Structures are given as C-alpha cells and as structure tokens.
Amino acid sequence: MDIRSVDHIELFVADADQAAARLAHAYGFAITGRSTPWGAGEAGYTSVLLRQRDITVLLTAATGSRHRAAEYVERHGDGVAVIGLTVDDAQAAFAAAVERGAEPVAPPETLGPDGGRVTFASVAGFGDVEHRFVSRERPGGPFAPGAFAETGDPAGEGLLTDIDHFAVCVPTGDLDPMIRRYAEVFGMEVTFEEQIVVGNQAMRSKVIQSRSRGLTFTILEPDTSRSPGQIDAFVAGHGGPGIQHVAYLTDDIARAVGTISARGVRFLTTPDAYYDELPGRLGQVGVPTETLRELNILADRDHGGVMLQIFTESAHPRRTYFDEVIDRRGARTFGSNNIKALYEAVERQSATGR
C-alpha cells in the first residue's frame, strides 16, 4: 500500500453553509458543489464541496441526530473527521488494511461510468478520525460522480495550493502505539522525532510519512513529567485524540497571509525581538524581514532551504482546532526552531483571550 497524496478532507460541522462561506470568503476556496440532503429522517445529512488548486474540502452537517456527523460535533465540535487518501486501488488498499488489523468503516463503493469511475472505502484511523481510500480512473474529474452537480472554478483564488501535513495531538502513552499501528497497517514510517521543551512544559513529537511522502502526520504527546500544557488542553477540550491543525501550502505566503488577514482571520502574533534576531540567525530568507514582522510570519532553515509559516488563532469555541499556512522554499522539516515562538504565542492568546 502506498498512499500517494491527500485526496480530500472532510470536516463534520454544525452548519455546512456557514463554514463554507467562511472558507470561500477568507481563504479563497471556490464552492463547487452541494449535495441534496442524503439519507432520511434522523440519519440525514447535507454536504458542501469546496476546492482550491490541489485541495478539496468536504463540509458535512447532520440533518438528523443519528448521522455520524451529529455525534462527532456533539463530542468534539467542528473538526476534521475524514482524511481521503489517494491510492492506486481503493478496494485492494481497504482489503489489505483490514487484513492488517484496521477496523472497517465503509466497504468499497464505486461511482461513475467506465473511464471516470471513483472508488471509496473507509477504515478507522485514530480517535474519531476515519481514513477513506480513494482511487480515480480519471484524476481531476468529478469528486463523487452523481453525488454533486459541480460548478465553479476548482482553482479558487490560488492563495493555497495543497495540504502539507496534519498535526495530531494524542494523550500520554498513545504516541508509540499509534506509530506502530500506522507502520503495520498503512506502511508509514518515522522520518523525524524530537523532545520539545517550552518553559515548564514538554512534549514528544514524531513525524510519520507514507513512502511517497504524500501523507504526513506530526504527532504530539504531552510529557507528564512536566506541567500540563497545550497538548493536554487540546486532548481535554477535544475529548480525546484528534487533528489540532491542518497545514496548507502556499507558493506566496506574504500574499496569502496578507489577503486572509485582511478578510478577518486572526493570526498568532510574534514578539519584535524574534525579527530583530532573524537576519543574524538565518540570513536572507526570500521575504524582507519587515514584511515578515508586519505579518507575524515565522521563518526557519534546514539543509534543503527555507520554510516560512504562520498559525491562525483558534476560532473554535473550545480553543482546539486551528490552521497553518506554510511556504516551503526547499525545506522539508517542520520548523522545530519555531515551536517555542508558536507555543509562547498560544500562551499569550490563552492569557489575553486573543
């Protein structure tokens, strides 16, 4: 099994139209399809499809109390509930995953005509997150033939281009078992690990990736030998393990952040001292330091090049889920040198309410 890329993400939300309007207005997504309500009575739901370059987002809201989205939203609030995984053969990937111990969620289903068929099949992931294998005879075609009447420009505004990675928070003791399970079931491998210490808090972090590097999880576990911190707070507020943030790629972070910020999205702020020290620490990074300072963008460098990144404030009522915007200019790591700045910024947000 080789997971080639992220086909789509599906968020379970309380109000799909409201969530879609926010992503379209602030982040530049195009609303390209709406389903008619599926199911009947208490099992019903409705979905909105959004696209932007190589990103596909599905927003699903329950219209009845028995749909899985209703239970998810009650337990966690709005959040990422499904990660669609591009594979060569969804039916074979599903069979292999179940044989290796994955819990089946939805058996293979094929939609569309010959030459344009799409196959979906799902297994359980971590917490309440489902993994949906997807194989497409015609990449770039309809998301789910017959389910949506797709319209609009799938490129959106082009502020964001792809999904870079997912950050996952797990309770203490869950990190290593999750790593083993994803190696055994999904063929993923650890590509980076570290112990992060921020003041009196600490956490363990491991990065796992598919062989193609098309799927990346950064998994964070709190260190209980230190004071409780933000990972503990996420797990408590979310009600168990889950996706803390989705990192969206951009090829022009100044344009993306400037535009998104002007449309009302609040980003975490960074002290001026960070930018005073930046030229001496990293040299030239491709964007003027004053622009980075103005937009609160963080910078890091590894052996491959430069990475620029920024995190939104959490607009979630539980202060759990948020987003990242990342611009990779050769760098392949995840901004270890910025973790301290990020967590100090989150602490300020928690202390001040903004």
Side-chain angles (χ1 to χ4, degrees), residues 20-350:
R22 178 178 181 271
L23 284 177
H25 169 70
Y27 287 83
F29 282 88
I31 297 175
T32 61
R34 295 177 184 273
S35 72
T36 55
W38 287 30
E42 295 182 350
Y45 67 97
T46 186
S47 296
V48 180
L49 183 69
L50 301 98
R51 294 184 187 266
Q52 184 168 191
R53 299 280 287 273
D54 291 327
I55 308 168
T56 299
V57 178
L58 188 64
L59 301 170
T60 296
T63 57
S65 61
R66 289 175 53 202
H67 188 269
R68 193 165 81 85
E71 180 182 358
Y72 182 98
V73 171
E74 181 178 2
R75 184 179 300 171
H76 307 296
D78 292 6
V80 178
V82 181
I83 302 175
L85 308 174
T86 303
V87 294
D88 292 334
D89 184 332
Q91 187 166 347
F94 173 83
V98 172
E99 183 179 358
R100 297 170 188 174
E103 177 187 350
V105 174
E109 178 184 16
T110 299
L111 305 175
D114 287 351
R117 289 179 297 186
V118 180
T119 300
F120 299 104
S122 297
V123 298
F126 52 87
D128 288 327
V129 175
E130 169 188 329
H131 294 319
R132 180 180 293 143
F133 298 115
V134 185
S135 54
R136 300 181 180 277
E137 288 185 341
R138 184 161 64 89
F143 172 74
F148 296 88
E150 293 192 44
T151 59
D153 180 4
E157 289 186 47
L159 296 175
L160 308 174
T161 63
D162 207 343
I163 291 176
D164 185 82
H165 66 273
F166 300 92
V168 180
C169 295
V170 301
T172 301
D174 281 13
L175 188 153
D176 288 331
M178 180 175 171
I179 294 291
R180 288 193 296 271
R181 179 169 177 269
Y182 273 75
E184 294 168 359
V185 175
F186 300 99
M188 300 181 72
E189 59 187 6
V190 176
T191 57
F192 183 77
E193 60 183 286
E194 65 179 335
Q195 177 86 357
I196 302 166
V197 179
V198 183
N200 60 356
Q201 303 175 22
M203 67 206 78
R204 296 175 64 212
S205 172
K206 291 189 178 183
V207 175
I208 56 171
Q209 297 182 297
S210 61
R211 291 195 301 274
S212 68
R213 303 300 187 252
L215 174 66
T216 301
F217 291 128
T218 298
I219 309 171
L220 302 165
E221 173 190 80
D223 181 345
T224 55
S225 68
R226 300 267 184 154
S227 299
Q230 291 161 40
I231 309 305
D232 306 85
F234 175 92
V235 171
H238 182 73
I243 294 174
Q244 180 202 51
H245 69 264
V246 177
Y248 294 106
L249 272 173
T250 180
D251 52 19
D252 186 344
I253 195 167
R255 171 177 173 253
V257 173
T259 301
I260 294 169
S261 179
R263 294 172 178 173
V265 174
R266 298 172 73 106
F267 289 90
L268 295 176
T269 59
T270 302
D272 278 345
Y274 175 90
Y275 299 100
D276 294 340
E277 299 168 359
L278 193 61
R281 182 167 66 88
L282 297 183
Q284 297 298 315
V285 297
V287 177
T289 301
E290 288 311 307
T291 300
L292 300 178
R293 187 195 304 267
E294 178 185 355
L295 296 172
N296 290 289
I297 295 169
L298 305 171
D300 203 0
R301 185 188 295 277
D302 65 17
H303 61 277
V306 169
M307 183 198 65
L308 307 170
Q309 65 186 148
I310 191 170
F311 302 85
T312 68
E313 292 186 2
S314 178
H316 198 287
R318 304 186 188 194
R319 292 292 189 183
T320 48
Y321 180 81
F322 56 91
D323 296 311
E324 177 182 355
V325 179
I326 183 168
D327 185 342
R328 292 192 180 276
R329 305 184 178 199
R332 298 311 309 159
T333 49
F334 296 87
S336 298
N337 293 326
N338 288 328
I339 293 293
K340 186 173 186 293
L342 164 65
Y343 279 84
E344 287 175 345
V346 172
E347 289 297 314
R348 287 195 303 277
Q349 179 190 359
S350 299

